[in-house]
Amino acid sequence: QDDPLFFDITEIVFFFIFAVELILRVSIFRLDFFTTGDWKWNWFDVVIVLTALFELIMKYIVQGAVELNVTGLRFLRIIKISRLIRIIRVVR
């Protein structure tokens, strides 16, 4: 079952926002991003952004060639939701 267009666009917009944020943070902090402070959360952010990228690639590039495992993609979405936990923690 295909997702409505609104959800597809929203997913892409949020991916780009998170990816740009990650790129900016890595470019500012360099190697310290991965080793000091909240380094565990930073690695978690990297994993989330990479899984979101993988999901988008699988969804749009391989869409016609391979029948996707929708359950696996939904699992990746659940993992991305966990990023919200980090954002809420940082805002507090």
Side-chain angles (χ1 to χ4, degrees):
Q1 180 178 352
D2 291 331
D3 292 334
L5 182 61
F6 171 77
F7 292 128
D8 289 340
I9 292 171
T10 304
E11 183 176 6
I12 292 169
V13 167
F14 276 106
F15 166 73
F16 279 112
I17 290 170
F18 290 138
V20 167
E21 176 204 6
L22 183 65
I23 290 168
L24 289 174
R25 287 172 45 208
V26 169
S27 68
I28 291 171
F29 295 112
R30 307 274 181 206
L31 289 177
D32 289 340
F33 178 80
F34 298 105
T35 58
T36 59
D38 287 335
W39 65 271
K40 291 177 185 177
W41 285 109
N42 294 340
W43 276 104
F44 180 70
D45 289 345
V46 170
V47 169
I48 296 300
V49 170
L50 290 178
T51 56
L53 176 64
F54 176 75
E55 179 184 2
L56 287 175
I57 290 171
M58 292 300 292
K59 189 172 184 180
Y60 293 107
I61 293 180
V62 188
Q63 185 174 0
V66 177
E67 184 66 32
L68 294 178
N69 181 357
V70 178
T71 305
L73 292 178
R74 294 199 194 285
F75 177 71
L76 290 175
R77 288 181 184 158
I78 291 171
I79 291 173
K80 287 192 298 186
I81 290 172
S82 62
R83 189 177 194 296
L84 291 175
I85 295 170
R86 182 194 186 287
I87 292 172
I88 291 170
R89 186 187 72 82
V90 169
V91 169
R92 281 184 158 185

